[in-house]
Amino acid sequence: EEVAELTRGGRANDFHGRFAFFTVIECFEDRSVRRDLAAMVEEEPQVENVVIVGSGPAAHTAAIYTARAELKPLLFEGLLAGGVAAGGQLTTTTDVENFPGFPDGISGMEITERFRAQSINMGTRILTETISSVDFGSFPYEVTSENGTVVRAKALVIASGATAKRMDIPGAGDNGFWQRGVSACAVCDGAAPFFRGKPLAVIGGGDSAMEEATFLTKYGSKVYVVVRRDVLRASKTMQQRARANPKIEFLYSHAVTEALGSGKFLEQLKIKDLKTEEERIIDCNGLFFAIGHLPNTQFVSHAVDTDDQGYIITKPDSTATNVRGVFACGDCQDKKWRQAITAAGSGCMSALEVEHYLQELEDDQPVTNGATEVPLEGGQPA
């Protein structure tokens, strides 16, 4: 009974618990009994105060704050999660000039490496594994990675981000001019020196495309908006604003068929009139995809509330979700701003809420079978 009690809720996985555990089993003379009892603790998943899923500014800010609060966070940064290297969308950005503290700017890859280094220096443990599933049926929640690692979490911070949708256009991919004139974030990259005073293009017909095209007119000599249909999906207000800008030219019923350049950077686009099938080449030094993002939330969407696009829904003025002890921050929850600095801010919010939540758990302590009891609503943790 004492052995069973020590294994419940992962108590045998902390230092004092393990010491007590092995002290108890050494009382047995039969080696086979000791071996079987020892296997009980080895099979029990590690119980963590907080598990963070993500690798961008939201995840690392949450990690830094929870580490400073001595919660010993475990962060799963993913292995090409969403098709992007650890660090998230920032790793696909050349120069970051709008994050405070870097007056001369900094590359997207370097700033994400600094985020990671600071998290580790604060005491965060990082696993380069992608989370495949979370079982909310019992508490602490069971978190499983694609590598087979299983841990149990009292609190879960989802900062898994969103992946910008890209089009499979010859010359615009990773082996072409991607990040050398082709981007999926005008606000992130549009102010780069090699876009200034040059003709640029945006693909898309929604509000994001209108907003990005308008933003790019601050830097480019001209901005083409390439729309596959002969109408825009954007709101009337956004349409009117874009149409009123003399630098914006709409190419309706057109598609980009190839990105071209004779050197290191994008120089031209081949475009096709979808009605006449006629193709022509236009000068263009920057191509920006504005066709939406895909939030990386599939691994929790069975229990955590999301909207029709897959973005996690959080409570007003909070990062708390509908599942008790589960918090969401960054681009997996924010479909409006999608900036590194706003993601970092929401990561801070999640960390502070986790700290308060864990304190409430400790103070409350309704215990069932050694684990904190979690009320259920509709079969899911409330």
Side-chain angles (χ1 to χ4, degrees), residues 93-150:
T93 300
T94 49
D95 295 314
V96 179
E97 298 178 325
N98 55 4
F99 199 96
F102 303 97
D104 299 320
I106 186 171
S107 74
M109 186 63 75
E110 184 180 355
I111 196 172
T112 57
E113 290 174 352
R114 291 194 181 196
F115 292 157
R116 192 177 192 274
Q118 188 172 356
S119 288
I120 292 172
N121 288 345
M122 291 295 107
T124 303
R125 293 158 297 145
I126 297 178
L127 294 179
T128 309
E129 300 179 18
T130 301
I131 296 302
S132 58
S133 65
V134 181
D135 181 1
F136 295 104
S138 61
F139 187 84
Y141 306 130
E142 189 170 276
V143 181
T144 304
S145 79
E146 292 180 354
N147 297 55
T149 300
V150 179

Side-chain angles (χ1 to χ4, degrees), residues 5 70 86 94 162 171 176 202 209-210 226 228 233 258 279 307 330 357 359 362 371 375:
E5 177 63 24
E70 299 185 350
T94 49
V202 174
M210 300 304 104
V226 184
R228 291 189 64 88
R233 293 183 292 103
E258 190 174 0
E279 287 189 321
D307 66 10
Y357 161 73
Q359 186 60 56
E362 188 174 320

